[in-house]
C-alpha cells in the first residue's frame, strides 16, 4: 500500500494508478438536428409502446418528492412474469451497463482475470480496467465463430468471469443454447451472456432464461435500450440464480439506483410484450431486406441475428469504408465506422425503418456506382 | 490471487470475500398509504418547482428512443451557472450516492483507508466495504463537535480520502468554511464535503463552492433529493477542481449514467433558484418553530442547520424513544428511531410542513403528558 504522499509524488495526483493509466469509454456519435438518419448506435427505429406514453402522462412531478422503490419491485415482478422466473432471480439496473459493472464489483477481485472474445462490446475491457482486473481476449476465428476450445483457453488463463455477447456485437452471430451450456459447464468461473440484442433473433423460441436461473454460474443481461425503444430511459436487468442476483441486489447496487419515473415506464414497456414483438418482427424483416440489398451492391454482410449488419466492402472497391462513412454522414446518414485490429475498414449499420433503409440504399447505390 | 476453484471450495460461491462478509445498506422505511405523515427520511415537505412539472409535460415517450447526453452537459451548464463555476468542475450523478461510489472507485485502492466521523451517514462504511477499503471512524465529542485534532488523527491512520457530512447527519451541526479549510489543508488525502443538507443552513451566505474548485483535494457533494423536492428523481452532483472531476466524468462513471427525463427535470429544478430558496426559507422557519416546541415538551434538540432535528428524551422520561417512535407510527406518523452506539435511544425527525408539524406536536404533547 502506497502512502498518499507517495502517490502524489508520483505525479498522478489523487487518482488510482489503474484509473490514471486507462482510457475512458467513448460513446457513439450523437448528431443533433432533424432529418438525420441515425444508424450508428443500434437504437430501435420504432418508438416505445403507447403504454409507455400513457404511463408517462400519469406521472406528476409532486410524486418525485419521495424516494423510489429501492429494488424496483414492481418492475421485477413484471419482468419475472414475462420470463416465467421468480422476482429474486431478477435485478433491475440503470441500463445493461450498470449490471456489467455490478458483476465485476461483486464477483471479480482486483488483479483477477476476465474473459471475453475479440472483437466484442468495447465497454467490457474498460469496466474491467476500472475494477483493476485484467482482460483476457480470445480471438474469434476468421469467420467470426467462437474457437472450439474457448472455455479451455479461458480456464487456462484463470478467468473468474467471462462476458459473451449473444447475438454477437459487432457481427450479429448467434451462439445456440447447446453451445453456451457446454461453455458454462466447462468454465471454472462465471459466464455472463449479454443478450442486449436477443430480441431480434430469428427463432422466437430461442430463450435461455429457464436454463440461466437453474445454472449456478450464469447470468443473462437484458436491456430496454434496443428491443423496447428506450435507450434514453437507461433501464436493463439481469436474470440468473438468486445466489448470484442477491449480492448485487442487496449489497453492491447503489441503494436507490433507479428513479421513480423510469421504474414506472419500464414496467409499462415490458408488460406490453405484444407491441414489443411486433416491432422486433418489423426489424427482422427489414434486416433481411437490407442484407439482400447490400449484398446486391457487392457489400458482404455475415448472417446477423441482431438489429445491425457488419458490412465489408469488396477487396477491389474504389472507395474505402471510411470514405463511405464520411460520404453518408455528409448526406445526414450516420453509420458506425470501424478501423482497428480484427475490424479493419468495416461499417456497422443499424437496421432502420423501411423509409430510412430506402434512403440509405439509394445513397449507397449512388456512392458505389 | 486465489483460483476460482479455491474460492468455490471456501464455500462462498462466486462472491468476493469482502462482499460475502459485508452487510448491505438498509434504506429508510417507506410506508404506503395516504394520510401518512412521513418525517423519517429527510425528504422535502414541499413539491418540486412548477417548472419541473412544466418540463415533465413537455416530454414525449418517443424521445426516449435515443441515448441521452452521456455527460449531462445541459444540466452541468445550468449548475455551473448557478454556482459561478465552470462546467468541467461539475459532475452530474444518479443521486449523491453515485458520486460517493465514484469517489471511492476513482481515488481509493482496495486495502486503503477512508476517514469519517462517528456518527455519520451510514452509507459511507457500506460503500467503503464494497471497495474493499477500511473505514476509520473518529468519534465526535460528547457535544457532537469535531475533535480539534481530527485531521491529525486521520493522517496518522493513513486515510487517503475522508467524508465529512456538513451540515452533519444526524445532528444537523454545521462546520464553518474556516474549519473545513484548516482540515483540508492539514489532510494528506482528499476531503469530500457531503453537502446533502446545505440548502437549509441559516446563513444564506455560507457557500464553499469557490473555495472547493480552487482547492486541489476537495470535492463537494450536492443533491436534488432534499432541497429540491426530488428524492424520486435520483439526481445529485459533485463540485470540485477539474483534475478531480475529470477522471470520474470521463473514466469511472457508467457511460450513460443519467436518463433523458431526469436530466431535463433536474435542469428545470436547478434553474429555478427562486422557488428553491422560497422552500428552504419555509423549512428553516418550521425548523425553528419545531425545535422550540419540542424543547418546551422537554425534548432536547442540538442546534440543527439541516431539515431534521435529533431528539433526545429527558433522562427521567417515563417513555423510551423506541416506544415514542412506535406510538407515533401507530398514529400514521413516521420518524426515524436510532439505537446504536453513540446514538442511544434517540429520534431523528424530519421538518415537515406547518400542518404536519402541528399534528406531530399534538400527538407528542399527548404521548408525553
Amino acid at each position: 500500500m502506497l502512502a498518499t504522499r507517495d502517490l502524489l509524488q508520483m505525479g498522478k495526483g489523487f487518482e488510482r494508478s489503474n484509473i490514471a493509466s486507462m482510457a475512458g469509454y467513448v460513446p457513439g456519435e450523437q448528431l443533433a438536428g432533424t432529418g438525420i438518419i441515425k444508424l450508428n448506435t443500434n437504437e430501435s427505429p420504432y418508438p416505445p409502446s403507447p403504454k409507455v406514453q400513457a404511463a408517462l402522462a400519469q406521472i406528476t412531478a409532486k410524486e418525485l418528492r419521495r424516494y423510489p422503490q429501492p429494488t424496483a419491485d414492481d418492475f421485477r415482478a413484471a419482468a419475472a412474469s414475462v420470463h416465467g422466473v421468480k422476482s429474486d432471480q431478477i435485478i433491475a439496473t440503470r441500463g445493461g451497463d450498470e449490471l456489467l459493472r455490478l458483476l465485476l464489483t461483486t464477483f471479480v477481485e482486483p488483479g483477477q482475470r476476465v474473459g471475453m472474445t475479440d472483437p466484442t462490446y468495447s465497454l467490457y475491457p474498460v469496466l474491467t480496467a476500472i475494477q483493476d482486473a485484467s482482460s483476457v481476449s480470445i480471438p474469434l476465428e476468421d469467420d467470426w465463430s467462437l474457437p472450439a476450445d474457448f472455455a479451455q483457453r479461458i480456464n487456462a488463463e484463470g478467468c473468474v468471469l467471462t462476458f459473451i455477447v449473444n447475438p454477437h456485437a459487432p457481427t450479429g452471430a448467434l451462439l445456440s443454447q447447446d453451445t453456451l451450456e457446454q461453455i458454462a459447464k466447462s468454465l471454472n468461473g462465471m459466464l455472463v451472456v449479454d443478450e442486449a440484442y436477443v430480441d431480434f433473433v430469428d427463432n422466437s423460441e430461442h430463450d435461455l432464461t429457464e436454463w440461466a436461473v437453474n445454472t449456478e454460474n450464469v447470468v443473462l443481461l437484458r436491456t430496454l435500450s434496443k428491443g423496447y425503444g428506450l435507450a434514453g430511459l437507461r433501464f436493463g436487468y439481469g436474470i440468473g440464480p438468486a445466489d448470484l442476483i442477491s449480492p448485487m441486489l442487496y449489497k453492491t447496487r447503489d441503494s436507490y439506483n433507479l428513479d421513480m419515473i423510469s421504474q414506472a415506464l419500464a414496467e409499462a414497456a415490458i408488460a406490453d410484450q405484444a407491441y414489443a414483438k411486433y416491432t422486433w418482427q418489423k426489424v427482422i424483416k427489414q434486416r433481411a431486406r437490407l442484407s439482400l440489398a447490400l449484398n446486391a451492391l457487392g457489400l458482404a454482410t455475415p448472417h446477423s441475428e441482431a438489429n445491425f449488419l457488419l458490412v465489408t466492402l469488396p477487396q477491389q472497391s474504389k472507395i474505402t469504408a471510411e470514405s463511405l462513412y464520411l460520404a453518408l454522414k455528409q448526406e445526414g446518414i450516420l453509420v458506425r465506422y470501424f478501423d482497428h485490429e480484427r475490424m479493419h475498414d468495416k461499417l456497422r449499420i443499424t437496421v432502420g425503418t423501411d423509409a430510412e433503409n430506402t434512403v440509405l440504399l439509394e445513397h449507397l447505390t449512388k456512392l458505389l456506382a
Side-chain angles (χ1 to χ4, degrees), chain A:
Chain A
M1 185 181 115
L2 292 165
T4 315
R5 210 159 295 163
D6 297 332
L7 280 168
L8 284 170
Q9 281 167 0
M10 287 162 69
K12 285 175 180 163
F14 293 97
E15 271 175 87
R16 295 168 64 196
S17 53
N18 63 314
I19 306 297
S21 64
M22 68 173 278
Y25 177 74
V26 180
E29 215 171 346
Q30 302 281 357
L31 277 193
T34 51
I36 299 284
I37 296 183
K38 198 166 168 308
L39 305 174
N40 68 326
T41 49
N42 301 339
E43 289 135 332
S44 170
Y46 304 109
S49 157
K51 296 196 173 148
V52 174
Q53 177 62 47
L56 179 58
Q58 293 276 320
I59 294 166
T60 55
K62 68 173 195 273
E63 298 167 72
L64 294 168
R65 195 163 65 83
R66 296 297 183 204
Y67 280 93
Q69 286 185 1
T71 45
D73 296 342
D74 293 345
F75 171 83
R76 286 167 55 232
S81 157
V82 164
H83 293 295
V85 302
K86 295 179 190 139
S87 275
D88 65 357
Q89 295 164 330
I90 302 242
I91 177 173
T93 55
R94 185 132 294 272
D97 294 354
E98 184 187 10
L99 180 63
L100 296 173
R101 171 173 53 75
L102 288 176
L103 286 159
L104 291 165
T105 302
T106 310
F107 301 109
V108 179
E109 298 277 356
Q112 287 186 326
R113 292 178 175 196
V114 176
M116 57 196 77
T117 63
D118 175 31
T120 193
Y121 180 27
S122 58
L123 185 64
Y124 300 155
V126 173
L127 293 176
T128 302
I130 294 171
Q131 184 64 358
D132 205 7
S134 308
S135 298
V136 172
S137 292
I138 307 291
L140 296 180
E141 306 289 3
D142 286 344
D143 67 353
W144 307 119
S145 66
L146 202 67
D149 60 351
F150 178 75
Q152 289 67 39
R153 288 161 73 180
I154 290 286
N155 284 341
E157 296 275 1
C159 297
V160 296
L161 183 148
T162 297
F163 292 118
I164 290 184
V165 52
N166 190 55
H168 183 259
T171 70
L174 181 76
L175 297 176
S176 71
Q177 179 164 341
D178 277 358
T179 303
L180 289 167
E181 284 189 15
Q182 282 310 315
I183 292 170
K185 213 172 280 178
S186 306
L187 285 176
N188 290 332
M190 280 174 61
L191 175 64
V192 177
V193 185
D194 179 343
E195 297 195 292
Y197 302 103
V198 77
D199 302 322
F200 308 110
V201 165
D202 277 324
N203 174 7
S204 60
E205 304 292 302
H206 176 89
D207 183 355
L208 305 185
T209 51
E210 193 188 336
W211 165 65
V213 298
N214 291 301
T215 306
E216 62 162 12
N217 64 337
V218 170
V219 173
L220 307 180
L221 177 152
R222 295 290 185 107
T223 178
L224 304 195
S225 295
K226 318 293 183 185
Y228 294 84
L230 287 170
L233 195 66
R234 313 309 304 127
F235 214 99
Y237 56 106
I239 310 172
D243 281 353
L244 298 182
I245 297 297
S246 168
M248 297 190 287
L249 190 56
Y250 297 112
K251 291 180 173 183
T252 52
R253 186 183 49 78
D254 284 348
S255 43
Y256 294 97
N257 62 327
L258 293 161
D259 64 284
M260 185 273 273
I261 298 177
S262 68
Q263 291 189 37
L265 272 51
E267 190 190 341
I270 201 161
D272 193 356
Q273 286 292 302
Y275 175 85
K277 284 176 181 163
Y278 161 76
T279 64
W280 304 342
Q281 286 307 316
K282 289 207 289 187
V283 168
I284 290 169
K285 208 174 140 190
Q286 285 298 317
R287 176 178 69 210
R289 170 212 174 193
L290 190 58
S291 172
L292 277 174
L294 292 171
N295 298 162
L297 288 171
L299 301 170
T301 56
H303 176 70
S304 169
E305 307 229 12
N307 68 337
F308 52 78
L309 294 165
L310 185 66
V311 175
T312 306
L313 277 68
Q315 284 202 309
Q316 69 279 23
S317 172
K318 287 167 297 182
I319 188 170
T320 62
E322 187 179 15
S323 26
L324 199 53
Y325 153 74
L326 290 170
L328 287 169
K329 190 171 168 178
Q330 207 144 30
E331 304 290 345
I333 302 174
L334 216 50
V335 301
R336 180 74 178 267
Y337 165 63
F338 287 116
D339 190 22
H340 40 77
E341 239 187 307
R342 301 301 310 275
M343 275 292 142
H344 185 60
D345 203 34
K346 295 195 189 310
L347 301 179
R348 190 196 63 197
I349 303 183
T350 306
V351 177
T353 61
D354 188 17
E356 287 172 334
N357 297 334
T358 299
V359 175
L360 168 74
L361 289 167
E362 280 168 7
H363 280 98
L364 282 175
T365 306
K366 269 186 233 156
L367 291 164
L368 294 165

